[in-house]
Amino acid sequence: MVLERGLVFMSDTRTNAGLDNISTFRKMTIWENPGECVITLMSAGNLATTQAVVSLLEERAKSPDERTPALLGVPSMFQAVRMVAETLREVIGQHSSGGLQSESAFKATLLVGGQVKGSAPRLFMVYPEGNFIEASADTPFFQIGETKYGRPILVRAFDAGMSFEEVMKLLLVSFDSTVKANLSVGAPFDYHFYAADSFSTGRTGRIALDDPYFQSVSQDWGDKLKAALDSLPDYSFDM
């Protein structure tokens, strides 16, 4: 999400290849050059692909003489997302037997956001083909992976002027709705709240399924939804 206060990222940690093969992997990576830039990447899709992309970006960041420049050395977020997109396209192209195909089993989608000194915070969505779009005032947040269950809550309640605390509540309600409807999404949830112009990693952490606040929000949200439904007028078949 793009807020007036900065950027907010949250990801679940569930990956699965069937109901009997569920694993937990971190889907969020944060790179920081204190005082200069902070870049956060989140992933959805084929785990081998996303891990290869992150590994390549980190490996090249360690080697100044690499043909591809280090991610933290780029002059703008636009150049950063271009590098990420090219790396994603490279990885998918190497693993797809028939060349680059968006419907390949190796496809993945990425969210890349952050701030480079001299420009405002920016957020991008990178598609498997390597093209990307940027968040704007009309589209201030992106979702990847399973989106349909949690999205209506975000569409109705999101406000760019919200505080980080208010956004945490909103995101947990959205994730709770998704978790209850789809087994492919599950806790714990990783988060990063980046304050604009801080140029350092913000508040980060992990919300477990048994987190007292998350349990309270989940229970209260369910109770209030039921109460709201009960308060609506009943339908009459005699109308």
Side-chain angles (χ1 to χ4, degrees):
M1 291 181 167
V2 180
L3 303 172
E4 293 174 2
R5 288 168 171 77
L7 301 172
V8 173
F9 307 87
M10 183 173 282
S11 61
D12 82 313
T13 54
R14 175 167 292 182
T15 63
N16 66 286
L19 296 179
D20 60 346
N21 186 14
I22 295 175
S23 302
T24 297
F25 285 92
R26 183 176 175 86
K27 302 177 184 179
M28 180 186 299
T29 304
I30 304 171
W31 292 280
E32 173 190 30
N33 183 5
E36 295 295 329
C37 69
V38 174
I39 298 172
T40 300
L41 181 148
M42 295 197 301
S43 61
N46 182 272
L47 183 62
T49 297
T50 58
Q51 288 190 341
V53 169
V54 171
S55 295
L56 274 174
L57 291 169
E58 291 184 337
E59 189 66 24
R60 290 166 178 172
K62 298 175 185 175
S63 307
D65 296 331
E66 283 279 356
R67 176 178 57 83
T68 303
L71 184 64
L72 293 177
V74 297
S76 68
M77 278 303 302
F78 181 78
Q79 293 298 324
V81 75
R82 279 191 61 188
M83 183 182 300
V84 172
E86 289 169 2
T87 305
L88 175 61
R89 187 166 58 241
E90 174 188 342
V91 170
I92 293 179
Q94 289 174 347
H95 289 85
S96 298
S97 58
L100 180 62
Q101 300 176 11
S102 62
E103 294 303 316
S104 164
F106 300 102
K107 68 179 181 179
T109 306
L110 307 175
L111 295 182
V112 183
Q115 186 176 19
V116 176
K117 195 170 184 178
S119 60
R122 302 174 73 179
L123 175 65
F124 299 86
M125 180 189 292
V126 183
Y127 295 101
E129 297 84 353
N131 55 332
F132 53 86
I133 59 175
E134 182 175 5
S136 64
D138 294 325
T139 308
F141 61 84
F142 288 138
Q143 293 173 278
I144 54 177
E146 177 52 73
T147 63
K148 56 184 176 290
Y149 301 107
R151 183 175 179 80
I153 296 165
L154 301 179
V155 171
R156 286 178 177 270
F158 175 84
D159 186 317
M162 297 174 82
S163 68
F164 284 159
E165 291 80 3
E166 290 171 326
V167 172
M168 174 66 87
K169 176 171 59 178
L170 173 62
L171 287 173
L172 289 179
V173 168
S174 177
F175 267 96
D176 178 62
S177 299
T178 305
V179 167
K180 283 182 167 55
N182 194 306
L183 288 174
S184 67
V185 179
F189 310 116
D190 292 316
Y191 64 84
H192 178 206
F193 287 65
Y194 171 76
D197 301 325
S198 65
F199 301 104
S200 63
T201 301
R203 294 184 179 274
T204 61
R206 174 169 282 192
I207 303 292
L209 187 62
D210 60 354
D211 180 89
Y213 178 72
F214 177 63
Q215 288 296 317
S216 173
V217 166
S218 177
Q219 183 63 49
D220 289 353
W221 177 249
D223 292 344
K224 287 179 170 58
L225 276 179
K226 294 175 184 176
L229 181 62
D230 291 340
S231 69
L232 295 174
D234 292 334
Y235 178 80
S236 174
F237 285 98
D238 297 326
M239 291 177 61

